[in-house]
Amino acid sequence: MELVRATEAAAIRAVPFIGRGDKNAADKAAVDAMRVFLGTVNFDGLIVIGEGEKDEAPMLFNGERVGNGRGPACDIAVDPIDGTSLTAAGRQNALSVIAVSSRGTMLDASSVFYMDKIVTGGAGRGVVSLDAPIGDNIRELSKKTGKPVGEMVLAVLDRPRHAGLIDEIRSAGAGTRLMSDGDVAGGINAARWETRIDMCVGIGGSPEGITTACALKAIGGYMQGRLAPKDDAERAGGIAAGLDIDKLLELDDMVSGDNTFFVATGVTDGGLVDGVRRQGPIIRTESIVLRSKSGTTRRVIAEHLASKWL
């Protein structure tokens, strides 16, 4: 619940900036709120996935210590708003996110910004591979799940780099769910049995990949990733940081162990959670809390007195 309070605060503080076209202002409001609440949490947290390097991000930067220092030692991934552009444009699927794992278990991939990913439910384990053509992955997952190819839906970030991938998916007979941003929610929805999304594929942020891995540990999903440096300089930087750039990363390579938490609160409405809503004197938030050790998914609906947030 302490983590939920932090994502709730970030989401609520971002609301005045929804649809205002200023993603930096929205992000700053969320960062400031999250940082205050994280300072009260009973843990010794080290931010592995944050807002960038210290000089670029005065709040919640990579390597910052958070929490009151009196609890367990943890690795932390934070994204006060996953989908700042979505928030600024007033679009769906913006989230405030925190992921936590035991100290030393979260891969620090911050020196390489992008990661190629494939995410499915548990049925994809041993069935799909990032090294296989997407058409083969679709057909193999269809066989495993018994779902016809023509009914399958793949989530993909709507980017020019994915034009060929999208064509291949459609040529295989499956449909696409194009995302303008926020592939954390896309990955989680690909692993949840009650959604229409069967797979999330393509190149997105490596921080979002590690964050998604924490969530998948809790819901029994499957994921592979491979770092995708944008140029030779970034590749060299990743190698200097000790990363195996070409390695096919399994879930345990991204987050080892079985003690992860993932918390997300909706900023705007989406397929994972509803966004923040003002209802008279009440501010309503919806959050999802995933815990790997117990394999539980909890939804937290909270009503906050608006007068306390003025």
Side-chain angles (χ1 to χ4, degrees):
M1 289 303 300
E2 291 176 302
L3 295 174
V4 173
R5 289 173 64 230
T7 55
E8 287 174 345
I12 289 170
R13 289 304 189 196
V15 166
F17 302 96
I18 294 174
R20 298 298 180 90
D22 190 342
K23 67 179 184 179
N24 291 331
D27 193 44
K28 184 180 185 305
V31 167
D32 290 347
M34 181 176 282
R35 191 175 194 281
V36 169
F37 279 85
L38 278 178
T40 69
V41 178
N42 188 39
F43 64 11
D44 174 15
L46 175 68
I47 294 182
V48 175
I49 306 291
E51 293 280 285
E53 300 305 314
K54 184 176 182 179
D55 292 343
E56 302 167 4
M59 299 291 186
L60 298 173
F61 56 86
N62 299 344
E64 183 176 356
R65 305 298 280 264
V66 295
N68 60 22
R70 295 196 293 269
C74 300
D75 287 347
I76 313 294
V78 295
D79 199 342
I81 304 180
D82 176 40
T84 52
S85 297
L86 298 176
T87 303
R91 293 178 177 148
Q92 292 190 332
N93 290 315
L95 303 170
S96 178
V97 173
I98 296 174
V100 179
S101 64
S102 300
R103 177 66 52 80
T105 60
M106 192 179 289
L107 178 67
D108 180 0
S110 56
S111 56
V112 178
F113 187 76
Y114 286 112
M115 177 186 288
D116 196 6
K117 314 165 200 174
I118 183 167
V119 184
T120 71
R125 189 172 287 104
V127 173
V128 301
S129 172
L130 205 54
D131 287 333
I134 190 62
D136 290 352
N137 284 324
I138 291 169
R139 288 182 286 273
E140 291 303 313
L141 189 61
S142 172
K143 290 176 189 176
K144 183 64 180 287
T145 61
K147 185 174 185 178
V149 168
E151 296 179 12
M152 296 182 70
V153 177
L154 279 70
V156 188
L157 281 172
D158 190 6
R159 299 287 188 273
R161 63 178 177 267
H162 290 148
L165 175 62
I166 292 167
D167 286 344
E168 289 181 47
I169 292 168
R170 293 171 177 170
S171 295
T176 55
R177 177 76 55 85
L178 299 183
M179 304 177 292
S180 58
D181 210 340
D183 62 338
V184 171
I188 293 172
N189 281 329
R192 294 169 60 222
W193 63 268
E194 68 268 44
T195 72
R196 287 203 62 225
I197 298 174
D198 302 283
M199 199 182 303
C200 184
V201 294
I203 296 174
S206 58
E208 288 82 357
I210 305 303
T211 303
T212 301
C214 287
L216 296 181
K217 286 267 185 171
I219 56 178
Y222 181 65
M223 177 179 181
Q224 287 182 341
R226 181 180 284 116
L227 296 171
K230 60 180 180 291
D231 53 34
D232 290 341
E234 191 175 65
R235 171 178 281 272
I239 292 171
L243 296 172
D244 187 343
I245 301 297
D246 298 316
K247 181 178 180 179
L248 183 63
L249 300 169
E250 297 286 349
L251 204 53
D252 283 340
D253 296 315
M254 290 179 265
V255 183
S256 60
D258 189 29
N259 187 25
T260 67
F261 290 84
F262 173 90
V263 179
T265 299
V267 178
T268 59
D269 287 345
L272 190 62
V273 285
D274 287 338
V276 180
R277 298 184 183 182
R278 176 72 180 264
Q279 298 172 324
I282 297 298
I283 298 172
R284 180 188 182 277
T285 58
E286 182 178 5
S287 306
I288 187 168
V289 183
L290 310 175
R291 185 186 181 202
S292 67
K293 200 159 192 177
S294 58
T296 51
T297 298
R298 291 182 172 89
R299 291 189 176 272
V300 179
I301 308 294
E303 294 183 352
H304 314 257
L305 279 176
S307 59
K308 299 288 186 179
W309 291 88
L310 297 177

